[in-house]
C-alpha cells in the first residue's frame, strides 16, 4: 500500500506499508509506479518524489519504463542497522552452506547472500528465519543473489512484513550495491527477479539508478470507513 501526501518540495510525499501493516522507509517498485501515475496525470515526465529515505528524482520514458534515482545507500553497521559493530561486507550471520551476507540500507535494511545456485534453495524458509535474526533490531529484508556471468544477477527476496515476493526494487538495488562492493560487477547489472528484469547501476557512491517497467493493473475507489466496519 502506498499513500501519496502533499509535499511542498516534491510532486508528492510517499509512505509505504507492508502486508503486515508495518511502515517501510522505501519501495523501489512502488516509486516507479507512482512516477508513472503522476506523469500520466499531468505532473510532467520527471516528477520529483519525497520519502522517508530522501528525495527521489524520476524519469518516465515513452515506452512505459521508469527510471528512479534512489538515495545513496547507507553502509555503516549502525546505519543498516545491526546490533553490534561489525564489517557490513560480511555480517556475522551463520547459515549452514551460505557465505556471510552483505549489509545495505536502501531506506530499509537488507542482508544479501551471494550463492552459487539459487534454484532449489528454500528461500521462504531461510528468509523467514533470517528476517528475525537478533542481529537486526528492526528486522531485515533478505536477498539471495546468484551472479550469472556477464551482467546478469538472479535474485529472490524475502521481505520483512510481506514474505517472499515476485520482485523487490529496493532489494534489487541493495543486491547491486552489494555486488559492486564485493567486486562481482563493476558498476551495473540486470537484476533478474521472478516478476521481471530491472536495470540497476551504482558507481560506488551517490544515488542508485534503477530502470524498469510500470504498468496499470486496475483502477478503483473505496471508502476508508469500510475498513473500520464490523
Amino acid at each position: 500500500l502506498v499513500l501519496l501526501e502533499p509535499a511542498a518540495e516534491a510532486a508528492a510525499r510517499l509512505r509505504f506499508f507492508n502486508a503486515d501493516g508495518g511502515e517501510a522507509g522505501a519501495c523501489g517498485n512502488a516509486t516507479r509506479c507512482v512516477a508513472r501515475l503522476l506523469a500520466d496525470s499531468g505532473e510532467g515526465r520527471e516528477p520529483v518524489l519525497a520519502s522517508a529515505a530522501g528525495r527521489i528524482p524520476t524519469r518516465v520514458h515513452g515506452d512505459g519504463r521508469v527510471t528512479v534515482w534512489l538515495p545513496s545507500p547507507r553502509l555503516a553497521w549502525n546505519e543498516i542497522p545491526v546490533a553490534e559493530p561489525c564489517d557490513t561486507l560480511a555480517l556475522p550471520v551463520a547459515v549452514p552452506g551460505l557465505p556471510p551476507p552483505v549489509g545495505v540500507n536502501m531506506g530499509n535494511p537488507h542482508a544479501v547472500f551471494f550463492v552459487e545456485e539459487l534454484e532449489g534453495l528454500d528461500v521462504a524458509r531461510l528468509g523467514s528465519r533470517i528476517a528475525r535474526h537478533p542481529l537486526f533490531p528492526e528486522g531485515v529484508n533478505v536477498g539471495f543473489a546468484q551472479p550469472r556471468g556477464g551482467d546478469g544477477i538472479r535474485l529472490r527476496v524475502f521481505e520483512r512484513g510481506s514474505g517472499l515476493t515476485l520482485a523487490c526494487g529496493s532489494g534489487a538495488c541493495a543486491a547491486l550495491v552489494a555486488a559492486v562492493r564485493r567486486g562481482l560487477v563493476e558498476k551495473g547489472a540486470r537484476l533478474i527477479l521472478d516478476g521481471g528484469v530491472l536495470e540497476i547501476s551504482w558507481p560506488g557512491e551517490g544515488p542508485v539508478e534503477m530502470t524498469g517497467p510500470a504498468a496499470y493493473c486496475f483502477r478503483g475507489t473505496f471508502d476508508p470507513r469500510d475498513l473500520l466496519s464490523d
Side-chain angles (χ1 to χ4, degrees):
L1 175 67
V2 188
L3 296 183
L4 277 64
E5 299 179 339
E9 75 283 10
R13 175 170 293 278
L14 310 185
R15 295 180 64 191
F16 309 103
F17 294 88
N18 290 322
D20 67 354
E23 188 165 0
C27 181
N29 291 332
T31 301
R32 293 200 322 277
C33 291
V34 170
R36 169 79 187 270
L37 178 64
L38 291 177
D40 291 349
S41 301
E43 291 288 343
R45 309 306 288 180
E46 298 186 355
V48 175
L49 306 175
S51 74
R55 181 177 181 273
I56 307 174
T58 74
R59 179 177 300 145
V60 180
H61 305 279
D63 59 2
R65 294 179 306 132
V66 179
T67 298
V68 301
W69 287 267
L70 297 182
S72 302
R74 290 175 284 170
L75 307 174
W77 71 271
N78 58 339
E79 295 176 323
I80 302 299
V82 294
E84 60 189 47
C86 62
D87 181 2
T88 61
L89 268 174
L91 295 175
V93 178
V95 180
L98 296 181
V102 180
V104 179
N105 189 306
M106 288 300 311
N108 43 31
H110 293 267
V112 182
F113 290 84
F114 288 100
V115 301
E116 293 184 1
E117 181 57 53
L118 184 56
E119 303 308 321
L121 193 66
D122 193 343
V123 171
R125 181 180 64 85
L126 291 172
S128 65
R129 293 182 178 181
I130 298 164
R132 302 188 302 270
H133 192 284
L135 182 66
F136 306 103
E138 299 178 3
V140 71
N141 297 322
V142 188
F144 299 89
Q146 177 191 346
R148 288 188 166 181
D151 65 348
I153 299 175
R154 178 75 171 96
L155 176 68
R156 302 189 76 192
V157 180
F158 185 96
E159 296 188 42
R160 58 172 188 169
S162 295
L164 184 62
T165 59
L166 292 175
C168 177
S170 65
C173 289
L176 186 280
V177 169
V180 171
R181 295 184 69 203
R182 280 273 180 92
L184 300 175
V185 299
E186 181 176 351
K187 176 182 176 181
R190 297 169 65 249
L191 275 292
I192 306 161
L193 300 103
D194 292 346
V197 176
L198 296 170
E199 298 175 6
I200 302 177
S201 65
W202 182 62
E205 61 181 4
V208 180
E209 179 181 302
M210 173 177 61
T211 300
Y216 289 92
C217 297
F218 65 89
R219 290 177 180 268
T221 61
F222 78 97
D223 188 334
R225 292 173 295 184
D226 293 340
L227 300 178
L228 304 178
S229 61
D230 294 332

